[in-house]
Amino acid sequence: MRLKFSPRLISAVIVALIVAFVVQSNWGSASVSGRTIATFLVVGIALGGVYAISAAGLVVTYATTGIFNFAQAAIGCFLAFCYWQLTVQWGLPTLVAIAITLLIIAPAIGIALDRVIMRRLRDAALVVQLMVTVGLMLTFMGITLTIWPPKAPRSVPHFFEGTKGVQIGDVIATWHRIITVAIALLVAVALRFLLYRTRLGISMRAVVDSRSLAGLTGAKSSVISGASWSLGCMTAGLAGILIAPETGLVVENLALVIVVAAAAAAIAQLKSLPMVFVGGLIIGLTEAFTSVFLNFGTDWNYAPQAIPCVILFVALLFLPQARLETGKVRLTKRTERLTKPWEAAVGGGVMIVLVGAWANGWIPWFSGTTFGERSAVWLGRGVGFMIVGLIMLSLVPLIGWAGQVSFANFAIAGVGAVLFSHFGGQNGSPIGILFVMLVCAPLGLLIALPALRLKGLYLALATLAFAEFTDKVIVRHPKMIDPSATGVLFKPLDIFGIHISSDAADRKAFVIFLVIAFALLFFMLELLRRSRWARRWIAMSDSPAASATIGINLTTTKMAVFMLSGAMAGFAGCMLGLSQGALRVDSFPMFIGLPLVLLLAVQGVRYPVAAFMGLIGLASFPALSEVMGNPSWLTQVSLIGPGLAAVAMAYRPEGAVFYTGRDLAGMLPWRADAREEKALLDQRTRDQDIGRDDINDLGLTRAFTREKVAQLDRRLSISDAVDEHPMVTSTGVAK
Amino acid sequence: MKRYQVALLAAALSVSLMAGACGRSGSDSANNNTNTTSASDAKCKGATLEASDIGVSATDITVEVMADTGSSLAPGLFQGNVDAMNGYAKYVNANGGVGCRQLKVEAWDSKLSPEESKNGILNACKNSLAMVGGNSLFNPDTSVLNTCADKSGAATGLPDFVALANDINEQCAPNAWVIQAVAETCPTDGSIPKGARDLKVFVGADKYYASSVPDSKGIWLIPGDLPTTVQSATYQVQGAKDVGIDVYDAFKVSGSMPQTGYTPFVQSIKDNSGNFVYNGSADTAMIKMRKETAAQGYDGVKTWACSLACYTEKFKAEGAGVDNTYVWFQFLPFEEAANNANLKAYIDSVGGKPDSFGMQAWQAGMLFKETIDKIVAADGPNAITRASVLKTMKSITDFNAGGTMGAKSAKGFSDCFVLMQIKGGAFTRINGKPGQFTCDPSNVVTIANYDPAAEAAKVH
Amino acid sequence: MTALLSTNEVVVRFGVLQAVSQASIEVHAGRVTGLIGPNGAGKTTCFNVITGLQEPTSGKVLLEGVDITGKSPSKRARLGIARTFQKLEVFGSLSARENIMVAAEQRRAWDKSGFDPKKVTDEILEKVGIADVSEFMVGTLPTGTARLVELARALATNPRLLLLDEASSGLTEEETEEMAALLRRLVADDGLGILLVEHDMSFVMGICEFIYVLDFGRVIASGTPAEVQANPTVQAAYLGTESVEEAS
């Protein structure tokens, strides 16, 4: 079907119309004069410079490593604190401090990251890549907060602070801001030159496209990837040093710039550095315009905060449409034994028994004075953990099977909670839950629509934008959450005469209700995994192109999984609302969606049982803390811990459940196949000791030996046994 | 004694008593405490102590301080409350304890979460006599304060001597005595105020600004992150307007706004020849505003005013860039420890690092002790029960924490304040004498029939 | 006789690069047709156009005379086109059996003859000779075997037209012989039309009845194997050497 005008043109017109409408209906009281325009331009460009620099690092990293680095801004934040330490605390001259930070510390971090983590991520699934960088973000934030506790006053002076800037009309552009904008532009130009005109830069990009081919030209990929990450960290540090005086040396402000940076990077289509500068300007000017000329009324009060995420979303939609992707084949274990229905039923039963026993105080470790006295408190927390588990369950079919990485499920749950407060929650009617699920299913679908044309990473970013938009605009609309409504919005649910609410007396029933619901959904998912639905989703995830060619309608298949996931998240949302009791406008921040996915991914996205393991892991932390008497160092570890666990995922990409399950399954008497499998795999690992990087050098600096060749053959899956015919004879000459 | 000497003695006594009763300034209210304290100490001697209620054993009284201390993004936010309560317990125990027993403080981290706040109240209900010195930003479900069962199983309720109640549910909870001023007029039936209603505003500082710069005209910076903070700012702006400051505009600011975001505000002041800026948000907002105004080269602002949010070490560390900023608050400044033994005790107990939140927690502790002392003086140390604490607590309508704050009741405002100005990294007093407050009933005005939610909508 | 499939002056342009120009190819049912050419000649692009994964800049694709140029890949699958891929596109996380099952189950959407997908899967596993690896995850199988799984999966959709993209690469000589026999059977028994892209010249010349030669996106020659082998343009394009078996 060929339209007269390209779909892109039509979308552009629609967006322009919407923007015009929004501007016109929210026009403020400022007059359009030379002064206001000058203010708007100066502020907008200054902001734009800040955003452009943050985004440049993101784009450079993506272009040279193929990995979208969520931790970019957090690394910049850490480096900004280092700079402060050097220049304000230890009194080093500014230039020396900058040099040490950017030329010594930053590259050191980059090389360390590359060596320890990033190399293992190259062929990993998208969700693993993203989650490891999210984990890194949390780790860096945690380390920064630990080394430099926030109570003490810290500030970084502007460059040329105290001097009069440049007068433009009625406004003064300070030197620091001019420098920021100039450096942003310079960095964009310089990086573009580096990446397209220098040997190093071209090698960096080549390594992303095809590592083996690049290796053939003599580019040593291990050195290059170290250089790429160093470059990324240096740019992050530069951004941090320039931004810190403007936003204040506060971890939250610096690390969460990532959202705006992502928006600017999306405008640059994640590859064009000059466009990054333009992208930053667009966002900065939009924000300045809103601040100077517009005035949003009650209903859309927080809309200005949603500007970056809306721009991110629109930019993603305008990206060139990806052809149906071809998939990456991942080496996994040899056979995947599907859980039998009776095993799933037993598993669900075990969950109910475990949690039920805990709720009744029968587990020895937890009973005793502490639990007895705090039982209502712990039961309340147990409710919270179960709800997190439910949301994670909803992610299993979506991310684990269908390969659609989405950060929006917590936001959907939030909308579910809010809806439930209006339809059913306010009078304790369980029918309301069904209604909410029915609404949340198509809500999940709404997110699926951009999924139809966005591939992996872009989809993940779009869901992030959606989650942010939900947090800042949808949920905060007064009709959703009434700002003057106070107190508890939900009446206890009445299910078969049992009261369920967050009141102390009802909490035990609430926990048990939730674990039964969890077990039922778990059972349903295990059954679903054996059905053609799951097979189709996994097929679509492994190779969309091939799926299409066997007749799978990718659109309806994707829609189905998004709807299922949305409905499950909606149910979790109703429970979330009921457990919180009161809803605040900032109850559902976007960045909670990230650790949720992370928690599941660490355990294993493909396995429903991982959701249960994830919630056990989540619960064990405060439990441990309680048992140890709440030591303060544990709070600090709690900042860094989850981050490190995620980073460890780089070494365990399939998820903890996979590796533990394999080992544990061997212990069950009827699982001889699991024991065989483990023995086989152990032997393969022993034989396959040829490392990735070793291959690069073979034949160039080191001779082919019989053993090495045999290992190569196994690596290439040409032969399975140890002593098959090697390609090279014993004299070392190729046949 | 000869008759005329008795008459002289009687006259001298009555004069000193009257002097003590008039003028709520001064630190002689410590005398009131010592009267009850010594009375209760007397009752301690020789009494066999029992466990008279939950949180009261033969040897200890347990209270819980609930504050947001451990949230991962704002770690240690209200740690000052916990430190102050721990310090207060040490101080009190070294000076004879409270209610003939030792004071034990259990700390609870509400983690900026409504669930953990509710859990904290549940925990206090199970373990403590009362909640003292707390500061939890999100505390919407305070129903347990009313329904908490005491030792006998009756739903007597739980006393909450709260330092700062941000959530209106806690502010108007019948069993909460709030140290920080409460602007809402709380209905007696325990329902929550909504819609157009009467609100109280403290305008003492505004009156000073208006009188020192008669044609004050300018802007108000409002903390914009939550609708409640925006709403509470609206009636403060109205109060300022009512005493003659032309607040022609108000702007929302947020913690994450970069300094460039303040340029439009500076432009607005330039365009309107404004000379007044009030910051109701955090100290960082004021710092950025001042820096940006300087960067834009405007020097026409004569009154830089801030709430007690600027009374911090961080603000002092900014040096000359924030000179002449006013701050006002309703407790004695830390600089005047020499003038008040209670203030000094607090500052010493936290190792010389006080903050305003800790100060309020300490005052809550003092209120708690005063309540207990009253009970013991009247009925002995075994009469300390939740019921008696609630009853006595509600009878205290004129508490001034040993002279460290202006007298106030469980809700509402005191009409006393302290105004200070910062110069060269140090705060100096502007009004009144060290160790004393400036009090005037006209410092508190009621704004009638005001709907903050509706007004908040108009702020950009 | 109308061709089973014909492409009509198909042009595919990527920016300034002309990947395919004026390609007009015909594939007849019951016959194996070959598509050969040096690397980068545009063979896979042709395949992508025929299966709907690539929109041609101009030109048409006709299935039994019906214009299917605008139809999506899944629609074309329903009409009876199946393919394998040059860069292995197996469902690596599923077992060989499940790979075929997915296709067989999907077929039920348009094939209402009431067949049992399980049985069909078993039959195909036998036919293609991979029954012994049916439970293994295809991501762990050697390339050659994985290609057979792809072939089996394609067959599960009961196609009329089968497009094979370098299906024999990675197979030993023996396995290649078996595949050739299989293809001959499919053509003879089931009346399939097969279009294959290959680098193994002996395989191609042995099994194809008609061959197209592509170079730089253009059809430079077509005819029977003997004709094509003797064609000097073809020889020049290949520089006279046979492509190496292990090159794939």
Side-chain angles (χ1 to χ4, degrees), chain A residues 491-526:
Chain A
K491 288 263 175 339
L493 264 190
D494 196 326
I495 300 195
F496 307 125
I498 303 178
H499 266 216
I500 295 188
S501 75
S502 60
D503 287 341
D506 297 339
R507 287 180 180 191
K508 181 150 79 167
F510 202 176
V511 173
I512 298 188
F513 172 71
L514 284 177
V515 73
I516 293 178
F518 186 93
L520 282 173
L521 286 170
F522 166 79
F523 183 68
M524 180 197 85
L525 279 184
E526 290 287 4

Short mmCIF file of all heavy atoms in Angstrom, two decimals, chain A residues 491-526:
data_model
loop_
_atom_site.label_atom_id
_atom_site.label_comp_id
_atom_site.label_asym_id
_atom_site.label_seq_id
_atom_site.Cartn_x
_atom_site.Cartn_y
_atom_site.Cartn_z
N LYS A 491 -11.23 0.75 50.41
CA LYS A 491 -11.90 0.02 51.47
C LYS A 491 -11.45 -1.45 51.39
O LYS A 491 -11.07 -1.92 50.34
CB LYS A 491 -13.42 0.08 51.26
CG LYS A 491 -14.02 1.43 51.54
CD LYS A 491 -14.57 1.46 52.96
CE LYS A 491 -15.11 2.81 53.42
NZ LYS A 491 -14.66 3.98 52.74
N PRO A 492 -11.53 -2.14 52.52
CA PRO A 492 -11.10 -3.55 52.48
C PRO A 492 -11.91 -4.35 51.46
O PRO A 492 -13.10 -4.13 51.29
CB PRO A 492 -11.39 -4.04 53.89
CG PRO A 492 -11.44 -2.82 54.73
CD PRO A 492 -11.93 -1.72 53.84
N LEU A 493 -11.22 -5.23 50.80
CA LEU A 493 -11.87 -6.14 49.86
C LEU A 493 -12.58 -7.22 50.64
O LEU A 493 -12.08 -7.69 51.66
CB LEU A 493 -10.81 -6.82 49.00
CG LEU A 493 -10.46 -6.26 47.64
CD1 LEU A 493 -9.58 -7.26 46.93
CD2 LEU A 493 -11.70 -6.02 46.82
N ASP A 494 -13.71 -7.59 50.13
CA ASP A 494 -14.44 -8.65 50.79
C ASP A 494 -14.47 -9.86 49.88
O ASP A 494 -15.18 -9.87 48.88
CB ASP A 494 -15.86 -8.17 51.09
CG ASP A 494 -16.53 -9.05 52.11
OD1 ASP A 494 -16.26 -10.27 52.12
OD2 ASP A 494 -17.34 -8.53 52.90
N ILE A 495 -13.67 -10.86 50.20
CA ILE A 495 -13.64 -12.05 49.35
C ILE A 495 -14.09 -13.24 50.17
O ILE A 495 -13.40 -13.65 51.11
CB ILE A 495 -12.21 -12.28 48.78
CG1 ILE A 495 -11.80 -11.06 47.96
CG2 ILE A 495 -12.19 -13.54 47.96
CD1 ILE A 495 -10.63 -11.28 47.09
N PHE A 496 -15.21 -13.78 49.79
CA PHE A 496 -15.78 -14.91 50.53
C PHE A 496 -15.81 -14.64 52.03
O PHE A 496 -15.46 -15.48 52.84
CB PHE A 496 -14.99 -16.20 50.27
CG PHE A 496 -14.82 -16.52 48.82
CD1 PHE A 496 -13.58 -16.74 48.27
CD2 PHE A 496 -15.94 -16.58 47.99
CE1 PHE A 496 -13.44 -17.03 46.93
CE2 PHE A 496 -15.81 -16.87 46.65
CZ PHE A 496 -14.55 -17.10 46.11
N GLY A 497 -16.17 -13.44 52.35
CA GLY A 497 -16.29 -13.10 53.77
C GLY A 497 -14.99 -12.76 54.45
O GLY A 497 -14.97 -12.35 55.61
N ILE A 498 -13.87 -12.93 53.75
CA ILE A 498 -12.60 -12.59 54.39
C ILE A 498 -12.22 -11.16 53.99
O ILE A 498 -12.28 -10.80 52.82
CB ILE A 498 -11.49 -13.56 53.95
CG1 ILE A 498 -11.91 -14.98 54.28
CG2 ILE A 498 -10.19 -13.22 54.64
CD1 ILE A 498 -10.91 -16.01 53.84
N HIS A 499 -11.79 -10.40 54.97
CA HIS A 499 -11.41 -9.02 54.72
C HIS A 499 -9.95 -8.93 54.30
O HIS A 499 -9.09 -9.53 54.94
CB HIS A 499 -11.59 -8.20 56.00
CG HIS A 499 -12.93 -7.55 56.03
ND1 HIS A 499 -13.15 -6.31 56.58
CD2 HIS A 499 -14.12 -7.97 55.57
CE1 HIS A 499 -14.42 -6.01 56.45
NE2 HIS A 499 -15.02 -7.00 55.85
N ILE A 500 -9.73 -8.17 53.26
CA ILE A 500 -8.36 -8.01 52.81
C ILE A 500 -8.05 -6.54 52.68
O ILE A 500 -8.67 -5.84 51.89
CB ILE A 500 -8.16 -8.71 51.45
CG1 ILE A 500 -8.35 -10.19 51.65
CG2 ILE A 500 -6.78 -8.41 50.90
CD1 ILE A 500 -8.01 -11.00 50.46
N SER A 501 -7.09 -6.07 53.45
CA SER A 501 -6.71 -4.66 53.34
C SER A 501 -5.36 -4.50 54.00
O SER A 501 -4.74 -5.46 54.42
CB SER A 501 -7.73 -3.77 54.05
OG SER A 501 -7.53 -3.88 55.46
N SER A 502 -4.93 -3.25 54.12
CA SER A 502 -3.62 -3.04 54.74
C SER A 502 -3.74 -2.84 56.25
O SER A 502 -2.75 -2.54 56.90
CB SER A 502 -2.94 -1.82 54.12
OG SER A 502 -3.72 -0.68 54.32
N ASP A 503 -4.95 -3.00 56.79
CA ASP A 503 -5.07 -2.92 58.24
C ASP A 503 -4.34 -4.08 58.88
O ASP A 503 -4.25 -5.17 58.33
CB ASP A 503 -6.55 -3.02 58.66
CG ASP A 503 -7.29 -1.75 58.32
OD1 ASP A 503 -6.63 -0.71 58.11
OD2 ASP A 503 -8.52 -1.81 58.24
N ALA A 504 -3.84 -3.82 60.08
CA ALA A 504 -3.00 -4.83 60.73
C ALA A 504 -3.68 -6.18 60.81
O ALA A 504 -3.09 -7.22 60.55
CB ALA A 504 -2.61 -4.35 62.11
N ALA A 505 -4.95 -6.19 61.14
CA ALA A 505 -5.63 -7.47 61.35
C ALA A 505 -5.84 -8.23 60.04
O ALA A 505 -5.94 -9.44 60.04
CB ALA A 505 -6.98 -7.22 62.01
N ASP A 506 -5.90 -7.50 58.93
CA ASP A 506 -6.21 -8.16 57.66
C ASP A 506 -4.98 -8.61 56.92
O ASP A 506 -5.08 -9.23 55.87
CB ASP A 506 -6.98 -7.19 56.74
CG ASP A 506 -8.31 -6.80 57.33
OD1 ASP A 506 -8.81 -7.54 58.21
OD2 ASP A 506 -8.86 -5.77 56.92
N ARG A 507 -3.80 -8.25 57.44
CA ARG A 507 -2.61 -8.45 56.62
C ARG A 507 -2.28 -9.90 56.37
O ARG A 507 -1.80 -10.26 55.30
CB ARG A 507 -1.41 -7.77 57.27
CG ARG A 507 -1.49 -6.28 57.14
CD ARG A 507 -0.32 -5.61 57.78
NE ARG A 507 -0.43 -4.16 57.62
CZ ARG A 507 0.54 -3.31 57.88
NH1 ARG A 507 1.68 -3.76 58.32
NH2 ARG A 507 0.35 -2.02 57.72
N LYS A 508 -2.53 -10.74 57.36
CA LYS A 508 -2.21 -12.15 57.13
C LYS A 508 -3.06 -12.70 55.99
O LYS A 508 -2.57 -13.38 55.09
CB LYS A 508 -2.44 -12.94 58.41
CG LYS A 508 -2.10 -14.41 58.24
CD LYS A 508 -1.64 -15.04 59.51
CE LYS A 508 -2.80 -15.38 60.39
NZ LYS A 508 -2.44 -16.25 61.50
N ALA A 509 -4.33 -12.37 56.03
CA ALA A 509 -5.21 -12.84 54.95
C ALA A 509 -4.73 -12.29 53.62
O ALA A 509 -4.78 -12.97 52.59
CB ALA A 509 -6.64 -12.41 55.24
N PHE A 510 -4.26 -11.04 53.62
CA PHE A 510 -3.79 -10.41 52.40
C PHE A 510 -2.61 -11.18 51.83
O PHE A 510 -2.56 -11.50 50.64
CB PHE A 510 -3.38 -8.97 52.73
CG PHE A 510 -3.39 -8.04 51.54
CD1 PHE A 510 -3.12 -6.70 51.71
CD2 PHE A 510 -3.65 -8.51 50.25
CE1 PHE A 510 -3.13 -5.82 50.63
CE2 PHE A 510 -3.65 -7.64 49.16
CZ PHE A 510 -3.38 -6.30 49.36
N VAL A 511 -1.64 -11.51 52.69
CA VAL A 511 -0.46 -12.24 52.21
C VAL A 511 -0.86 -13.56 51.61
O VAL A 511 -0.41 -13.96 50.53
CB VAL A 511 0.56 -12.47 53.34
CG1 VAL A 511 1.68 -13.35 52.85
CG2 VAL A 511 1.13 -11.16 53.83
N ILE A 512 -1.73 -14.28 52.33
CA ILE A 512 -2.10 -15.61 51.86
C ILE A 512 -2.89 -15.50 50.55
O ILE A 512 -2.69 -16.28 49.62
CB ILE A 512 -2.87 -16.35 52.95
CG1 ILE A 512 -1.93 -16.52 54.15
CG2 ILE A 512 -3.36 -17.69 52.45
CD1 ILE A 512 -2.46 -17.39 55.24
N PHE A 513 -3.77 -14.50 50.48
CA PHE A 513 -4.49 -14.29 49.24
C PHE A 513 -3.52 -14.05 48.08
O PHE A 513 -3.66 -14.61 46.99
CB PHE A 513 -5.42 -13.08 49.41
CG PHE A 513 -6.07 -12.64 48.13
CD1 PHE A 513 -7.06 -13.41 47.54
CD2 PHE A 513 -5.71 -11.45 47.53
CE1 PHE A 513 -7.67 -13.00 46.35
CE2 PHE A 513 -6.30 -11.04 46.36
CZ PHE A 513 -7.28 -11.81 45.76
N LEU A 514 -2.52 -13.22 48.34
CA LEU A 514 -1.58 -12.90 47.28
C LEU A 514 -0.76 -14.11 46.86
O LEU A 514 -0.49 -14.30 45.68
CB LEU A 514 -0.65 -11.77 47.74
CG LEU A 514 -1.28 -10.38 47.73
CD1 LEU A 514 -0.30 -9.35 48.25
CD2 LEU A 514 -1.74 -10.01 46.34
N VAL A 515 -0.33 -14.92 47.83
CA VAL A 515 0.50 -16.06 47.42
C VAL A 515 -0.33 -17.09 46.65
O VAL A 515 0.16 -17.73 45.73
CB VAL A 515 1.24 -16.69 48.63
CG1 VAL A 515 0.30 -17.47 49.52
CG2 VAL A 515 2.33 -17.60 48.13
N ILE A 516 -1.62 -17.19 47.02
CA ILE A 516 -2.47 -18.10 46.24
C ILE A 516 -2.62 -17.57 44.81
O ILE A 516 -2.50 -18.30 43.83
CB ILE A 516 -3.84 -18.27 46.90
CG1 ILE A 516 -3.68 -19.00 48.23
CG2 ILE A 516 -4.79 -19.03 45.99
CD1 ILE A 516 -4.97 -19.18 48.98
N ALA A 517 -2.85 -16.25 44.72
CA ALA A 517 -2.95 -15.66 43.38
C ALA A 517 -1.66 -15.86 42.60
O ALA A 517 -1.67 -16.21 41.42
CB ALA A 517 -3.28 -14.17 43.50
N PHE A 518 -0.54 -15.65 43.29
CA PHE A 518 0.76 -15.82 42.64
C PHE A 518 0.93 -17.25 42.15
O PHE A 518 1.34 -17.50 41.02
CB PHE A 518 1.87 -15.47 43.64
CG PHE A 518 3.24 -15.48 43.05
CD1 PHE A 518 3.81 -14.32 42.54
CD2 PHE A 518 3.99 -16.65 43.00
CE1 PHE A 518 5.08 -14.33 42.00
CE2 PHE A 518 5.26 -16.66 42.46
CZ PHE A 518 5.80 -15.50 41.95
N ALA A 519 0.60 -18.20 43.03
CA ALA A 519 0.77 -19.61 42.66
C ALA A 519 -0.11 -19.97 41.47
O ALA A 519 0.32 -20.70 40.57
CB ALA A 519 0.46 -20.50 43.85
N LEU A 520 -1.32 -19.43 41.46
CA LEU A 520 -2.21 -19.72 40.33
C LEU A 520 -1.65 -19.16 39.03
O LEU A 520 -1.63 -19.83 38.00
CB LEU A 520 -3.60 -19.12 40.60
CG LEU A 520 -4.47 -19.91 41.57
CD1 LEU A 520 -5.75 -19.14 41.88
CD2 LEU A 520 -4.83 -21.28 40.97
N LEU A 521 -1.19 -17.92 39.10
CA LEU A 521 -0.63 -17.31 37.90
C LEU A 521 0.63 -18.03 37.47
O LEU A 521 0.88 -18.23 36.27
CB LEU A 521 -0.33 -15.82 38.15
CG LEU A 521 -1.57 -14.93 38.20
CD1 LEU A 521 -1.22 -13.54 38.70
CD2 LEU A 521 -2.22 -14.85 36.83
N PHE A 522 1.43 -18.45 38.44
CA PHE A 522 2.64 -19.22 38.15
C PHE A 522 2.28 -20.49 37.41
O PHE A 522 2.87 -20.84 36.38
CB PHE A 522 3.36 -19.51 39.46
CG PHE A 522 4.42 -20.56 39.36
CD1 PHE A 522 5.66 -20.26 38.85
CD2 PHE A 522 4.18 -21.87 39.77
CE1 PHE A 522 6.64 -21.22 38.75
CE2 PHE A 522 5.15 -22.84 39.68
CZ PHE A 522 6.39 -22.51 39.17
N PHE A 523 1.28 -21.19 37.93
CA PHE A 523 0.84 -22.44 37.31
C PHE A 523 0.37 -22.19 35.88
O PHE A 523 0.71 -22.90 34.94
CB PHE A 523 -0.27 -23.04 38.16
CG PHE A 523 -0.76 -24.36 37.67
CD1 PHE A 523 0.04 -25.48 37.71
CD2 PHE A 523 -2.05 -24.49 37.14
CE1 PHE A 523 -0.40 -26.71 37.25
CE2 PHE A 523 -2.50 -25.71 36.68
CZ PHE A 523 -1.68 -26.83 36.74
N MET A 524 -0.41 -21.12 35.74
CA MET A 524 -0.91 -20.78 34.42
C MET A 524 0.23 -20.51 33.45
O MET A 524 0.21 -20.94 32.30
CB MET A 524 -1.80 -19.54 34.53
CG MET A 524 -2.38 -19.11 33.21
SD MET A 524 -2.98 -17.42 33.27
CE MET A 524 -1.50 -16.50 32.94
N LEU A 525 1.24 -19.80 33.93
CA LEU A 525 2.36 -19.50 33.05
C LEU A 525 3.13 -20.76 32.67
O LEU A 525 3.56 -20.91 31.54
CB LEU A 525 3.31 -18.50 33.71
CG LEU A 525 2.91 -17.03 33.65
CD1 LEU A 525 3.97 -16.15 34.26
CD2 LEU A 525 2.63 -16.59 32.22
N GLU A 526 3.30 -21.66 33.62
CA GLU A 526 4.02 -22.89 33.29
C GLU A 526 3.25 -23.70 32.26
O GLU A 526 3.83 -24.31 31.37
CB GLU A 526 4.26 -23.73 34.56
CG GLU A 526 5.27 -23.13 35.52
CD GLU A 526 6.72 -23.24 35.02
OE1 GLU A 526 6.93 -23.73 33.88
OE2 GLU A 526 7.62 -22.85 35.75
#
